[in-house]
Amino acid sequence: MLRLVECVLSFPESVKVHQEMGSVFHGALMECISAESAELYHHMTLRPYSQAVCWDSERHLPVWRLGFLTDDAYERIFQPVSSCYSLYLKQKNVEVQLGKFVTVKENDYEVLAKHYIQQETAPNNAIWHTRTVMSFKKDGRYVIMPDIRLIYQSLLQRWNAFSPVTRLEEDGLLDQLTNHCQLTRYQLRSQTFSVNGSTIYGYSGQMHYRFFGFDMLKRIQGILTAFAPYAGVGVKTALGMGSVDTVIR
Protein backbone atom coordinates (compact mmCIF):
# COMPACT_ATOMS: atom_id res chain seq x y z
CA MET A 1 0.00 0.00 0.00
CA LEU A 2 0.94 3.61 -0.58
CA ARG A 3 0.14 5.97 2.29
CA LEU A 4 0.60 9.69 2.88
CA VAL A 5 -0.01 11.05 6.39
CA GLU A 6 0.42 14.44 8.04
CA CYS A 7 0.24 15.99 11.49
CA VAL A 8 0.31 19.60 12.64
CA LEU A 9 3.46 20.64 14.52
CA SER A 10 3.57 22.96 17.54
CA PHE A 11 6.97 24.51 18.18
CA PRO A 12 8.08 26.69 21.11
CA GLU A 13 7.61 30.38 20.26
CA SER A 14 11.37 30.99 20.22
CA VAL A 15 11.94 28.48 17.40
CA LYS A 16 11.92 29.57 13.75
CA VAL A 17 10.34 26.83 11.64
CA HIS A 18 11.86 26.04 8.25
CA GLN A 19 11.87 23.07 5.88
CA GLU A 20 15.51 22.22 6.60
CA MET A 21 14.24 20.83 9.91
CA GLY A 22 13.28 17.76 7.91
CA SER A 23 16.82 16.50 8.41
CA VAL A 24 16.54 16.95 12.20
CA PHE A 25 13.12 15.30 12.24
CA HIS A 26 14.57 12.30 10.45
CA GLY A 27 17.06 11.86 13.28
CA ALA A 28 14.25 12.05 15.84
CA LEU A 29 12.21 9.61 13.77
CA MET A 30 15.00 7.04 13.84
CA GLU A 31 15.13 7.39 17.63
CA CYS A 32 11.43 6.46 17.82
CA ILE A 33 11.62 3.21 15.89
CA SER A 34 13.39 -0.01 16.82
CA ALA A 35 17.18 -0.19 16.57
CA GLU A 36 16.79 -3.03 14.08
CA SER A 37 14.62 -0.91 11.75
CA ALA A 38 16.89 2.12 12.04
CA GLU A 39 19.89 -0.03 11.12
CA LEU A 40 18.00 -1.55 8.18
CA TYR A 41 17.12 1.86 6.69
CA HIS A 42 20.59 3.26 7.34
CA HIS A 43 22.05 0.82 4.81
CA MET A 44 19.37 1.31 2.11
CA THR A 45 20.14 3.37 -0.97
CA LEU A 46 16.44 3.76 -1.80
CA ARG A 47 14.32 4.01 1.31
CA PRO A 48 10.66 2.95 1.33
CA TYR A 49 9.51 6.19 2.93
CA SER A 50 9.76 9.96 2.56
CA GLN A 51 9.31 12.68 5.16
CA ALA A 52 9.37 16.45 5.24
CA VAL A 53 8.53 19.47 7.35
CA CYS A 54 6.27 21.68 5.23
CA TRP A 55 4.30 24.88 5.61
CA ASP A 56 0.54 24.57 5.07
CA SER A 57 -0.30 27.87 3.37
CA GLU A 58 -4.06 27.41 3.76
CA ARG A 59 -4.02 26.78 7.49
CA HIS A 60 -0.85 28.83 8.11
CA LEU A 61 0.64 25.99 10.14
CA PRO A 62 3.75 23.81 9.95
CA VAL A 63 3.03 20.14 9.20
CA TRP A 64 5.04 16.96 9.19
CA ARG A 65 4.41 14.82 6.12
CA LEU A 66 5.29 11.12 5.97
CA GLY A 67 4.98 8.98 2.84
CA PHE A 68 5.16 5.17 2.93
CA LEU A 69 5.86 3.00 -0.10
CA THR A 70 5.46 -0.40 1.59
CA ASP A 71 3.32 -1.94 4.31
CA ASP A 72 6.49 -2.96 6.13
CA ALA A 73 7.76 0.63 6.31
CA TYR A 74 4.35 1.80 7.52
CA GLU A 75 4.36 -0.76 10.32
CA ARG A 76 7.99 -0.19 11.32
CA ILE A 77 7.77 3.62 11.31
CA PHE A 78 4.22 4.89 11.58
CA GLN A 79 2.98 2.49 14.23
CA PRO A 80 5.47 3.66 16.91
CA VAL A 81 5.46 7.33 15.81
CA SER A 82 1.67 7.64 15.75
CA SER A 83 1.54 6.89 19.48
CA CYS A 84 3.91 9.77 20.32
CA TYR A 85 2.56 13.12 21.50
CA SER A 86 5.87 14.90 20.99
CA LEU A 87 9.32 14.55 19.46
CA TYR A 88 12.57 15.61 21.05
CA LEU A 89 14.89 17.20 18.49
CA LYS A 90 18.29 16.43 19.97
CA GLN A 91 20.25 18.66 17.59
CA LYS A 92 18.06 21.66 18.44
CA ASN A 93 17.39 20.78 22.10
CA VAL A 94 13.70 21.38 21.41
CA GLU A 95 10.53 19.46 22.22
CA VAL A 96 7.93 19.62 19.42
CA GLN A 97 4.30 18.73 20.02
CA LEU A 98 2.65 16.45 17.46
CA GLY A 99 -1.00 16.87 16.51
CA LYS A 100 -3.22 13.99 15.47
CA PHE A 101 -2.00 12.21 12.36
CA VAL A 102 -4.39 12.42 9.40
CA THR A 103 -4.26 10.22 6.31
CA VAL A 104 -4.00 12.60 3.35
CA LYS A 105 -4.30 9.83 0.77
CA GLU A 106 -3.69 6.13 0.32
CA ASN A 107 -3.70 3.76 -2.60
CA ASP A 108 -2.54 0.38 -3.83
CA TYR A 109 0.11 0.09 -6.55
CA GLU A 110 -2.03 -2.14 -8.75
CA VAL A 111 -5.19 -0.10 -8.20
CA LEU A 112 -3.33 3.13 -8.97
CA ALA A 113 -1.90 1.68 -12.18
CA LYS A 114 -5.25 0.26 -13.30
CA HIS A 115 -6.98 3.58 -12.67
CA TYR A 116 -4.82 5.39 -15.25
CA ILE A 117 -4.60 2.46 -17.66
CA GLN A 118 -8.35 1.81 -17.73
CA GLN A 119 -9.83 5.30 -17.43
CA GLU A 120 -11.69 6.48 -20.52
CA THR A 121 -9.35 9.33 -21.42
CA ALA A 122 -5.58 9.44 -20.94
CA PRO A 123 -4.27 12.41 -18.91
CA ASN A 124 -2.92 15.34 -20.91
CA ASN A 125 -1.10 17.53 -18.40
CA ALA A 126 -0.11 17.97 -14.78
CA ILE A 127 0.76 20.69 -12.30
CA TRP A 128 3.54 20.11 -9.78
CA HIS A 129 3.85 22.10 -6.55
CA THR A 130 7.11 21.58 -4.66
CA ARG A 131 6.61 21.70 -0.90
CA THR A 132 10.31 21.44 -0.07
CA VAL A 133 13.48 22.04 -2.08
CA MET A 134 13.97 19.60 -4.95
CA SER A 135 17.35 18.71 -6.42
CA PHE A 136 19.05 15.94 -8.38
CA LYS A 137 22.59 14.73 -8.70
CA LYS A 138 24.14 14.05 -12.09
CA ASP A 139 27.82 13.44 -12.86
CA GLY A 140 28.71 14.44 -9.31
CA ARG A 141 26.94 17.82 -9.46
CA TYR A 142 23.58 19.04 -8.26
CA VAL A 143 21.02 19.89 -10.93
CA ILE A 144 19.08 22.94 -9.80
CA MET A 145 16.53 23.19 -12.62
CA PRO A 146 13.61 20.83 -13.37
CA ASP A 147 14.89 18.05 -15.62
CA ILE A 148 12.01 15.78 -16.62
CA ARG A 149 14.37 12.88 -17.34
CA LEU A 150 15.78 13.02 -13.80
CA ILE A 151 12.27 13.37 -12.36
CA TYR A 152 11.00 10.29 -14.17
CA GLN A 153 14.21 8.38 -13.42
CA SER A 154 13.77 9.05 -9.70
CA LEU A 155 10.13 7.91 -9.76
CA LEU A 156 10.75 4.81 -11.89
CA GLN A 157 13.54 3.66 -9.56
CA ARG A 158 11.29 3.90 -6.52
CA TRP A 159 8.23 2.42 -8.21
CA ASN A 160 10.14 -0.61 -9.54
CA ALA A 161 12.00 -1.09 -6.24
CA PHE A 162 8.86 -1.24 -4.09
CA SER A 163 5.84 -2.14 -6.23
CA PRO A 164 4.94 -5.74 -5.32
CA VAL A 165 3.20 -6.57 -8.63
CA THR A 166 3.14 -3.95 -11.39
CA ARG A 167 6.52 -3.04 -12.89
CA LEU A 168 7.33 -0.24 -15.33
CA GLU A 169 10.47 -1.67 -16.89
CA GLU A 170 9.98 -1.62 -20.67
CA ASP A 171 13.14 -1.04 -22.76
CA GLY A 172 13.56 2.61 -23.61
CA LEU A 173 10.69 3.70 -21.35
CA LEU A 174 12.67 6.48 -19.68
CA ASP A 175 13.64 7.90 -23.09
CA GLN A 176 10.04 7.73 -24.29
CA LEU A 177 8.72 9.46 -21.16
CA THR A 178 11.37 12.17 -21.40
CA ASN A 179 10.75 12.83 -25.08
CA HIS A 180 6.98 13.08 -24.68
CA CYS A 181 6.65 15.45 -21.74
CA GLN A 182 7.05 19.20 -22.13
CA LEU A 183 7.52 21.87 -19.47
CA THR A 184 5.05 24.57 -20.55
CA ARG A 185 5.04 27.01 -17.62
CA TYR A 186 6.90 27.47 -14.37
CA GLN A 187 7.32 29.76 -11.38
CA LEU A 188 10.58 28.71 -9.75
CA ARG A 189 13.25 30.09 -7.49
CA SER A 190 16.65 28.72 -6.59
CA GLN A 191 16.95 27.59 -3.00
CA THR A 192 19.37 25.77 -0.73
CA PHE A 193 18.82 22.99 1.79
CA SER A 194 21.26 22.24 4.60
CA VAL A 195 21.87 18.62 5.63
CA ASN A 196 24.38 17.81 8.35
CA GLY A 197 26.36 20.96 7.64
CA SER A 198 26.42 20.46 3.87
CA THR A 199 24.57 22.82 1.53
CA ILE A 200 22.54 21.29 -1.28
CA TYR A 201 21.47 23.54 -4.15
CA GLY A 202 18.03 23.08 -5.66
CA TYR A 203 14.78 24.80 -6.55
CA SER A 204 11.19 25.19 -5.43
CA GLY A 205 7.97 26.48 -6.97
CA GLN A 206 5.37 25.37 -9.49
CA MET A 207 5.71 23.55 -12.82
CA HIS A 208 3.20 22.75 -15.57
CA TYR A 209 3.85 19.76 -17.82
CA ARG A 210 2.09 18.65 -21.00
CA PHE A 211 1.91 14.95 -21.94
CA PHE A 212 1.90 13.92 -25.60
CA GLY A 213 2.71 10.88 -27.68
CA PHE A 214 0.80 7.62 -27.82
CA ASP A 215 -2.04 6.85 -25.44
CA MET A 216 -0.35 4.32 -23.13
CA LEU A 217 2.66 6.58 -22.64
CA LYS A 218 0.42 9.36 -21.32
CA ARG A 219 -1.23 6.88 -18.97
CA ILE A 220 2.17 5.88 -17.54
CA GLN A 221 3.01 9.56 -17.09
CA GLY A 222 -0.23 9.85 -15.09
CA ILE A 223 0.75 6.87 -12.90
CA LEU A 224 4.16 8.28 -12.05
CA THR A 225 2.81 11.78 -11.42
CA ALA A 226 0.22 10.37 -8.99
CA PHE A 227 2.96 8.33 -7.29
CA ALA A 228 5.24 11.35 -6.73
CA PRO A 229 3.62 12.74 -3.51
CA TYR A 230 4.10 9.41 -1.74
CA ALA A 231 7.69 8.84 -2.86
CA GLY A 232 9.11 12.35 -3.01
CA VAL A 233 11.37 13.22 -5.94
CA GLY A 234 15.11 13.60 -6.30
CA VAL A 235 17.80 13.44 -3.61
CA LYS A 236 17.39 13.24 0.19
CA THR A 237 13.65 12.51 0.20
CA ALA A 238 14.02 10.74 3.55
CA LEU A 239 15.72 13.83 5.00
CA GLY A 240 13.07 16.38 4.04
CA MET A 241 13.72 17.24 0.40
CA GLY A 242 11.63 16.69 -2.74
CA SER A 243 8.16 16.76 -1.18
CA VAL A 244 5.55 17.52 -3.86
CA ASP A 245 1.83 17.82 -4.55
CA THR A 246 0.59 17.02 -8.05
CA VAL A 247 -2.63 17.71 -9.94
CA ILE A 248 -3.29 15.56 -13.01
CA ARG A 249 -5.70 16.70 -15.72
Side-chain angles (χ1 to χ4, degrees), residues 225-248:
T225 305
F227 176 61
Y230 299 100
V233 183
V235 300
K236 311 294 185 185
T237 54
L239 300 180
M241 295 186 68
S243 178
V244 298
D245 284 326
T246 57
V247 178
I248 304 163

Side-chain angles (χ1 to χ4, degrees), residues 81-200:
V81 171
S82 61
S83 62
C84 296
Y85 295 101
S86 65
L87 274 186
Y88 177 64
L89 307 182
K90 193 180 294 183
Q91 290 171 271
K92 301 287 184 181
N93 192 27
V94 166
E95 189 88 13
V96 180
Q97 303 302 311
L98 305 180
K100 182 180 179 181
F101 280 96
V102 175
T103 300
V104 178
K105 60 176 73 177
E106 62 181 1
N107 214 324
D108 178 89
Y109 283 91
E110 194 167 1
V111 172
L112 176 61
K114 283 183 177 179
H115 171 74
Y116 286 97
I117 290 171
Q118 296 177 355
Q119 68 179 9
E120 186 175 346
T121 306
N124 290 311
N125 58 81
I127 303 172
W128 289 60
H129 303 267
T130 63
R131 298 193 63 170
T132 59
V133 179
M134 186 183 295
S135 186
F136 304 89
K137 206 161 192 182
K138 181 181 180 181
D139 299 328
R141 297 182 179 182
Y142 288 110
V143 177
I144 64 170
M145 289 292 288
D147 182 320
I148 193 62
R149 183 181 183 86
L150 297 179
I151 290 173
Y152 279 139
Q153 184 179 61
S154 172
L155 293 170
L156 282 170
Q157 286 176 340
R158 287 169 169 83
W159 178 281
N160 290 326
F162 301 115
S163 173
V165 180
T166 307
R167 294 288 197 275
L168 301 172
E169 298 176 313
E170 292 83 354
D171 290 341
L173 177 59
L174 180 59
D175 290 332
Q176 289 289 321
L177 291 169
T178 303
N179 294 334
H180 293 87
C181 185
Q182 179 185 13
L183 179 65
T184 58
R185 280 189 291 163
Y186 59 85
Q187 291 177 301
L188 298 173
R189 63 184 180 274
S190 61
Q191 203 168 348
T192 59
F193 193 99
S194 180
V195 177
N196 299 325
S198 299
T199 299
I200 297 175

